[in-house]
PDB file of all heavy atoms in Angstrom:
ATOM      1  N   SER B   5    -110.844 -65.741 -22.859  1.00 61.00           N
ATOM      2  CA  SER B   5    -110.528 -65.032 -24.081  1.00 61.00           C
ATOM      3  C   SER B   5    -110.317 -66.017 -25.198  1.00 61.00           C
ATOM      4  O   SER B   5    -110.102 -67.208 -24.975  1.00 61.00           O
ATOM      5  CB  SER B   5    -109.257 -64.223 -23.892  1.00 61.00           C
ATOM      6  OG  SER B   5    -108.166 -65.112 -23.794  1.00 61.00           O
ATOM      7  N   VAL B 104     -65.271 -29.988 -18.799  1.00 98.00           N
ATOM      8  CA  VAL B 104     -64.502 -30.006 -20.043  1.00 98.00           C
ATOM      9  C   VAL B 104     -64.585 -31.414 -20.633  1.00 98.00           C
ATOM     10  O   VAL B 104     -64.633 -32.400 -19.890  1.00 98.00           O
ATOM     11  CB  VAL B 104     -63.015 -29.632 -19.761  1.00 98.00           C
ATOM     12  CG1 VAL B 104     -62.148 -29.844 -21.000  1.00 98.00           C
ATOM     13  CG2 VAL B 104     -62.900 -28.190 -19.273  1.00 98.00           C
ATOM     14  N   ALA B 130     -71.951 -25.187   0.338  1.00 98.00           N
ATOM     15  CA  ALA B 130     -72.784 -26.216  -0.290  1.00 98.00           C
ATOM     16  C   ALA B 130     -73.911 -26.628   0.644  1.00 98.00           C
ATOM     17  O   ALA B 130     -73.747 -26.632   1.861  1.00 98.00           O
ATOM     18  CB  ALA B 130     -71.928 -27.423  -0.644  1.00 98.00           C
ATOM     19  N   CYS B 336    -110.201 -42.122   2.654  1.00 98.00           N
ATOM     20  CA  CYS B 336    -110.187 -41.261   3.836  1.00 98.00           C
ATOM     21  C   CYS B 336    -110.901 -39.961   3.449  1.00 98.00           C
ATOM     22  O   CYS B 336    -110.605 -39.378   2.403  1.00 98.00           O
ATOM     23  CB  CYS B 336    -108.741 -40.986   4.265  1.00 98.00           C
ATOM     24  SG  CYS B 336    -108.616 -39.937   5.719  1.00 98.00           S
ATOM     25  N   ARG B 340    -104.892 -33.881   3.746  1.00 98.00           N
ATOM     26  CA  ARG B 340    -104.073 -32.728   3.348  1.00 98.00           C
ATOM     27  C   ARG B 340    -102.681 -33.254   3.024  1.00 98.00           C
ATOM     28  O   ARG B 340    -102.068 -33.954   3.838  1.00 98.00           O
ATOM     29  CB  ARG B 340    -103.997 -31.705   4.478  1.00 98.00           C
ATOM     30  CG  ARG B 340    -102.986 -30.567   4.178  1.00 98.00           C
ATOM     31  CD  ARG B 340    -102.909 -29.556   5.309  1.00 98.00           C
ATOM     32  NE  ARG B 340    -104.190 -28.894   5.475  1.00 98.00           N
ATOM     33  CZ  ARG B 340    -104.707 -28.543   6.677  1.00 98.00           C
ATOM     34  NH1 ARG B 340    -104.033 -28.808   7.777  1.00 98.00           N
ATOM     35  NH2 ARG B 340    -105.876 -27.949   6.742  1.00 98.00           N
ATOM     36  N   GLU B 385    -106.166 -56.570   9.056  1.00 98.00           N
ATOM     37  CA  GLU B 385    -107.489 -56.041   9.388  1.00 98.00           C
ATOM     38  C   GLU B 385    -107.546 -54.512   9.293  1.00 98.00           C
ATOM     39  O   GLU B 385    -108.495 -53.940   8.771  1.00 98.00           O
ATOM     40  CB  GLU B 385    -107.897 -56.512  10.802  1.00 98.00           C
ATOM     41  CG  GLU B 385    -109.311 -56.154  11.187  1.00 98.00           C
ATOM     42  CD  GLU B 385    -110.391 -56.678  10.213  1.00 98.00           C
ATOM     43  OE1 GLU B 385    -110.154 -57.710   9.554  1.00 98.00           O
ATOM     44  OE2 GLU B 385    -111.427 -56.010  10.096  1.00 98.00           O
ATOM     45  N   VAL B 518     -89.141 -43.841 -36.965  1.00 98.00           N
ATOM     46  CA  VAL B 518     -90.364 -44.129 -36.192  1.00 98.00           C
ATOM     47  C   VAL B 518     -91.013 -42.836 -35.690  1.00 98.00           C
ATOM     48  O   VAL B 518     -90.341 -41.829 -35.492  1.00 98.00           O
ATOM     49  CB  VAL B 518     -90.061 -45.065 -34.996  1.00 98.00           C
ATOM     50  CG1 VAL B 518     -89.588 -46.411 -35.485  1.00 98.00           C
ATOM     51  CG2 VAL B 518     -89.065 -44.439 -34.027  1.00 98.00           C
ATOM     52  N   LEU B 536    -102.296 -48.187 -28.748  1.00 98.00           N
ATOM     53  CA  LEU B 536    -102.143 -47.551 -30.068  1.00 98.00           C
ATOM     54  C   LEU B 536    -101.829 -48.602 -31.132  1.00 98.00           C
ATOM     55  O   LEU B 536    -102.338 -48.537 -32.260  1.00 98.00           O
ATOM     56  CB  LEU B 536    -101.027 -46.488 -30.033  1.00 98.00           C
ATOM     57  CG  LEU B 536    -101.283 -45.264 -29.158  1.00 98.00           C
ATOM     58  CD1 LEU B 536    -100.080 -44.327 -29.198  1.00 98.00           C
ATOM     59  CD2 LEU B 536    -102.542 -44.523 -29.589  1.00 98.00           C
ATOM     60  N   PHE B 564    -100.998 -61.053 -46.413  1.00 97.00           N
ATOM     61  CA  PHE B 564     -99.917 -60.380 -47.151  1.00 97.00           C
ATOM     62  C   PHE B 564    -100.279 -60.163 -48.620  1.00 97.00           C
ATOM     63  O   PHE B 564     -99.818 -59.214 -49.246  1.00 97.00           O
ATOM     64  CB  PHE B 564     -98.597 -61.139 -46.980  1.00 97.00           C
ATOM     65  CG  PHE B 564     -97.992 -60.938 -45.622  1.00 97.00           C
ATOM     66  CD1 PHE B 564     -97.901 -61.983 -44.714  1.00 97.00           C
ATOM     67  CD2 PHE B 564     -97.546 -59.681 -45.229  1.00 97.00           C
ATOM     68  CE1 PHE B 564     -97.354 -61.791 -43.446  1.00 97.00           C
ATOM     69  CE2 PHE B 564     -97.003 -59.484 -43.972  1.00 97.00           C
ATOM     70  CZ  PHE B 564     -96.910 -60.535 -43.072  1.00 97.00           C
ATOM     71  N   ALA B 611     -93.750 -60.415   2.985  1.00 99.00           N
ATOM     72  CA  ALA B 611     -92.340 -60.772   3.163  1.00 99.00           C
ATOM     73  C   ALA B 611     -92.165 -61.572   4.444  1.00 99.00           C
ATOM     74  O   ALA B 611     -92.811 -61.285   5.454  1.00 99.00           O
ATOM     75  CB  ALA B 611     -91.482 -59.512   3.239  1.00 99.00           C
ATOM     76  N   HIS B 668     -69.766 -36.089  -2.852  1.00 97.00           N
ATOM     77  CA  HIS B 668     -69.220 -37.042  -3.832  1.00 97.00           C
ATOM     78  C   HIS B 668     -69.518 -38.467  -3.368  1.00 97.00           C
ATOM     79  O   HIS B 668     -69.329 -38.786  -2.198  1.00 97.00           O
ATOM     80  CB  HIS B 668     -67.704 -36.846  -3.993  1.00 97.00           C
ATOM     81  CG  HIS B 668     -67.050 -37.921  -4.803  1.00 97.00           C
ATOM     82  ND1 HIS B 668     -67.216 -38.006  -6.162  1.00 97.00           N
ATOM     83  CD2 HIS B 668     -66.262 -38.953  -4.447  1.00 97.00           C
ATOM     84  CE1 HIS B 668     -66.547 -39.067  -6.607  1.00 97.00           C
ATOM     85  NE2 HIS B 668     -65.968 -39.653  -5.599  1.00 97.00           N
ATOM     86  N   GLY B 700    -106.690 -50.263 -22.179  1.00 95.00           N
ATOM     87  CA  GLY B 700    -105.313 -50.712 -22.347  1.00 95.00           C
ATOM     88  C   GLY B 700    -105.274 -51.791 -23.421  1.00 95.00           C
ATOM     89  O   GLY B 700    -106.302 -52.384 -23.747  1.00 95.00           O
TER      90      GLY B 700
END
Side-chain angles (χ1 to χ4, degrees):
Chain B
S5 70
V104 172
C336 180
R340 172 180 297 143
E385 187 57 28
V518 296
L536 294 178
F564 285 113
H668 171 73

